[in-house]
Amino acid sequence: MRWSGLGDGGAAGAATGALFGTDVVTRTLDTPEFRGVTFHEVRAKSVVNRVPGASRMPFEWTVNPYRGCTHACVYCFARKTHSYLDLDTGLGFDSQIVVKVNAPEVLRRELAAPRWRGEHIAMGTNVDCYQRAEGRYRLMPGIIAALRDRANPFSILTKGTLILRDLELLREAAAVTDVGVSVSAGFLDRELWRTVEPGTPSPERRLDAVRTLTAHGIACGVLMAPVIPFLGDSPEQLRATVRAVAAAGATSVTPLALHLRPGAREWYMAWLARHHPHLVRRYETMYTGGAYAPKWYQRRITRQVHEYAAEFGIGPTPPGAHRRVPAPPDADPSPPQGTQLSLL
């Protein structure tokens, strides 16, 4: 595995250098929660990363405290990034997790640097910052606190209900800066969930997290992603999902059709051949033009989801609406009794 020589722009385009130091600690755990998972604990030199200019992402800066993800989503576009460390993009991505153990303190240093201009920072855009490893390493409280203390705007995208652990920190941050929270849930089908997203909380539990966040003053949207062709995209499935999203109190719902980049494409197609072999030819035809579904398909999904969103009274979030500076609610700000915070 190669740790040195990996360039990283750092905050505001710092000089390119090694991404990690040489003091790497590797731990392979054999506990029920992490059986077969290997953690590579590294000390990052920078954690604020510039998004490549060619990216379709609507933000410029990210923080990713982990590489690899125990959510094990077979379609995850970030799988390719594991190859940069000479790690396997299949099972290795699911079980070889790189942990930037010093991420909170490095972030504080970078936010305080004169060159940093307080731009928006997105989290959970590569791998999930609330994957199961976060329950062990607890990096996100320090990261959110650093952003709060500098009043630096940020957003979080997650499939992890563990975000509820940090609800009060999110409230404190939202009182001083723009905070955006989105939960990813592309479908409700439990059989599909168990095979395509085996390490995640169920879609119902994710929507319960949306309900809890909104009940405590943290506006939360839903990224309806991915919409999986021929398995989760029927009108009945889309309508049921949008209805559940609206019932959870989400501020918005945004559909995103499955895309299959190199690294993820091979892993997903192997999964498809095992579980739905009759669909392999249809996928080869649909994605023959590249990583993204055809424009006509994307437009159809978007149109249908928007129609259902209008039916259930949920629409796009207007600019700035994600910022909330709520007074403490009468209810106890801790998650409701019975809320599950683990990611199993």
Side-chain angles (χ1 to χ4, degrees):
M1 185 189 306
R2 55 189 174 94
W3 301 105
S4 61
L6 290 174
D8 182 89
T16 299
L19 185 59
F20 306 130
T22 57
D23 51 338
V24 179
V25 176
T26 298
R27 307 179 193 275
T28 301
L29 303 185
D30 196 30
T31 62
E33 186 178 8
F34 295 111
R35 182 154 293 147
V37 176
T38 299
F39 292 111
H40 304 286
E41 300 173 358
V42 303
R43 299 193 65 79
K45 294 187 175 182
S46 174
V47 296
V48 180
N49 309 310
R50 186 189 289 273
V51 177
S55 172
R56 296 189 178 193
M57 298 298 184
F59 43 80
E60 188 175 0
W61 301 98
T62 65
V63 167
N64 295 294
Y66 302 98
R67 282 193 174 203
C69 187
T70 52
H71 280 348
C73 300
V74 297
Y75 52 75
C76 183
F77 72 87
R79 289 183 176 276
K80 179 67 174 178
T81 63
H82 243 40
S83 66
Y84 306 157
L85 294 174
D86 291 336
L87 289 170
D88 174 56
T89 60
L91 289 176
F93 181 84
D94 304 338
S95 61
Q96 301 275 331
I97 310 301
V98 178
V99 185
K100 303 173 188 177
V101 294
N102 61 336
E105 51 262 43
V106 173
L107 178 59
R108 280 190 178 275
R109 184 184 72 231
E110 293 184 293
L111 294 180
R115 64 180 176 271
W116 180 248
R117 302 301 181 188
E119 292 98 330
H120 179 97
I121 289 177
M123 292 176 284
T125 60
N126 190 39
V127 301
D128 204 317
C129 51
Y130 283 106
Q131 60 175 288
R132 284 186 295 158
E134 172 61 16
R136 172 181 173 87
Y137 287 97
R138 299 183 62 87
L139 298 179
M140 286 302 293
I143 289 171
I144 295 172
L147 292 162
R148 174 203 63 193
D149 293 348
R150 302 294 298 191
N152 200 106
F154 66 91
S155 59
I156 297 173
L157 171 65
T158 185
K159 288 186 176 77
T161 55
L162 189 57
I163 191 174
L164 297 180
R165 180 201 62 193
D166 298 337
L167 191 152
E168 189 56 32
L169 273 171
L170 292 170
R171 285 175 46 80
E172 293 171 4
V176 298
T177 191
D178 288 345
V179 174
V181 177
S182 294
V183 168
S184 176
F187 49 84
L188 300 179
D189 187 303
R190 291 185 68 84
E191 182 178 354
L192 181 59
W193 158 64
R194 289 182 186 279
T195 59
V196 81
E197 301 172 343
T200 66
S202 70
E204 292 84 0
R205 286 183 51 206
R206 291 177 232 166
L207 295 181
D208 284 342
V210 173
R211 188 174 290 106
T212 299
L213 287 162
T214 56
H216 290 83
I218 303 297
C220 185
V222 168
L223 181 63
M224 193 169 155
V227 174
I228 300 182
F230 317 124
L231 294 171
D233 64 348
S234 72
E236 295 77 16
Q237 289 171 308
L238 295 177
R239 186 174 184 274
T241 301
V242 174
R243 178 174 56 194
V245 168
T251 57
S252 63
V253 58
T254 304
L256 184 65
L258 176 72
H259 59 276
L260 298 172
R261 299 184 189 174
R265 185 184 186 115
E266 297 83 352
W267 194 244
Y268 182 86
M269 293 301 290
W271 171 86
L272 192 71
R274 291 194 305 272
H275 292 271
H276 305 281
H278 63 288
L279 292 178
V280 169
R281 181 62 62 86
R282 296 182 73 181
Y283 266 80
E284 290 174 344
T285 300
M286 173 168 277
Y287 289 91
T288 190
Y292 293 88
K295 290 291 186 183
W296 64 263
Y297 180 84
Q298 296 183 50
R299 286 193 293 267
R300 192 196 84 192
I301 295 299
T302 298
R303 182 181 67 254
Q304 289 179 311
V305 168
H306 285 177
E307 289 173 356
Y308 299 138
E311 176 185 353
F312 295 113
I314 182 174
T317 304
H322 62 277
R323 185 180 182 188
R324 299 291 294 274
V325 187
D330 294 334
D332 183 345
S334 60
Q337 186 175 6
T339 298
Q340 300 293 313
L341 299 186
S342 72
L343 298 184
L344 295 178

